[in-house]
């Protein structure tokens, strides 16, 4: 998702025009769809399996990386050093990757850690609904689904511990995102203290 969304956002934000408008419309349409529903639709079309679920989750996160990258590019492309590179006759590719991409990529690690937490929840949700991995592959969503059937018999721990593992992992990834944000953007750290 990062590889596709970041490069599309770079190109679209720098180029602008009708291409940018069409791409923004497509990405906003994808982003407006509920993530779990859209991933479930893709999983139904592709079938079960690790690669297919990975592809389904990848497709729903491309618009997120695209939107963040494009918004950063729109502000960076008007900076004086980009104008100076254009005035000196630097090729478009050189300007985009040397001056713009290096200044835009600092926002990506935070988005990556937060979207990774959400992707884990989406994958577990797909498996819980029976659209994820097959039964022979270990998965927390499958464990939750199997454990939910045993709760009526008083066996609560078979669904509690996989759910707890998902909660700890997603909270940990969210904390990682906050920590990365503090490291990357020290001005926010000064404002909080």
């Amino acid at each position: 998702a990062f590889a596709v969304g970041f490069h599309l956002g770079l190109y679209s934000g720098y180029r602008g025009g009708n291409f940018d408008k069409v791409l923004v419309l497509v990405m906003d349409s994808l982003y407006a769809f509920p993530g779990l529903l859209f991933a479930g639709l893709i999983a139904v079309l592709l079938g079960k399996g690790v690669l297919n679920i990975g592809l389904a989750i990848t497709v729903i996160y491309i618009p997120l990386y695209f939107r963040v990258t494009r918004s950063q590019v729109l502000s960076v492309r008007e900076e004086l050093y980009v104008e100076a590179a254009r005035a000196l006759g630097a090729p478009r590719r050189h300007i985009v990757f040397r001056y713009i991409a290096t200044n835009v990529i600092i926002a990506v690690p935070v988005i990556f850690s937060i979207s990774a937490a959400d992707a884990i929840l989406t994958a577990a949700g797909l498996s819980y609904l029976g659209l994820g991995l097959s039964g022979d592959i270990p998965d927390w969503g499958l464990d939750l689904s199997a454990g939910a059937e045993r709760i009526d018999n008083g066996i609560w721990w078979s669904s509690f511990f996989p759910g707890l593992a998902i909660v700890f992992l997603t909270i940990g990834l969210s904390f990682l995102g906050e920590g990365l944000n503090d490291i990357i953007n020290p001005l926010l750290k000064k404002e909080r203290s």
Side-chain angles (χ1 to χ4, degrees):
F2 163 72
V4 174
F6 182 74
H7 289 93
L8 281 177
L10 271 176
Y11 185 70
S12 178
Y14 185 75
R15 182 175 176 187
N18 289 333
F19 177 79
D20 181 47
K21 290 177 186 175
V22 169
L23 207 52
V24 167
L25 181 66
V26 168
M27 292 298 172
D28 284 348
S29 300
L30 289 175
Y31 196 69
F33 236 83
L36 184 62
L37 181 63
F38 192 46
L41 177 66
I42 294 170
V44 166
L45 293 174
L46 297 177
K48 292 184 176 186
V50 175
L51 186 62
N52 293 342
I53 298 307
L55 185 61
I57 291 173
T58 297
V59 168
I60 65 172
Y61 287 103
I62 289 173
L64 177 66
Y65 288 103
F66 171 82
R67 290 168 55 119
V68 169
T69 304
R70 181 183 172 273
S71 67
Q72 294 287 323
V73 169
L74 289 177
S75 63
V76 170
R77 76 176 183 185
E78 303 302 325
E79 294 289 335
L80 291 176
Y81 56 87
V82 175
E83 291 292 329
R86 272 193 219 120
L88 290 172
R92 177 184 289 187
R93 184 180 186 93
H94 183 76
I95 292 171
V96 168
F97 288 106
R98 175 91 188 255
Y99 298 106
I100 295 178
T102 55
N103 288 299
V104 169
I105 203 160
I106 61 170
V108 172
V110 177
I111 299 299
F112 179 79
S113 63
I114 293 171
S115 65
D118 193 43
I120 289 167
L121 291 174
T122 303
L126 288 174
S127 295
Y128 182 82
L129 295 172
L131 301 172
L133 302 175
S134 56
D136 59 334
I137 300 172
D139 183 66
W140 286 330
L142 288 173
D143 292 344
L144 283 174
S145 179
E149 298 171 2
R150 298 185 196 122
I151 289 178
D152 291 339
N153 298 335
I155 305 173
W156 55 269
W157 56 88
S158 61
S159 61
F160 176 76
F161 290 110
L164 189 64
I166 292 170
V167 167
F168 281 151
L169 183 59
T170 54
I171 289 174
L173 286 170
S174 296
F175 283 152
L176 176 67
E178 287 294 320
L180 285 173
N181 196 22
D182 287 345
I183 291 169
I184 291 170
N185 197 347
L187 295 177
L188 290 176
K189 191 174 182 180
K190 288 180 184 176
E191 288 177 9
R192 289 183 187 161
S193 27

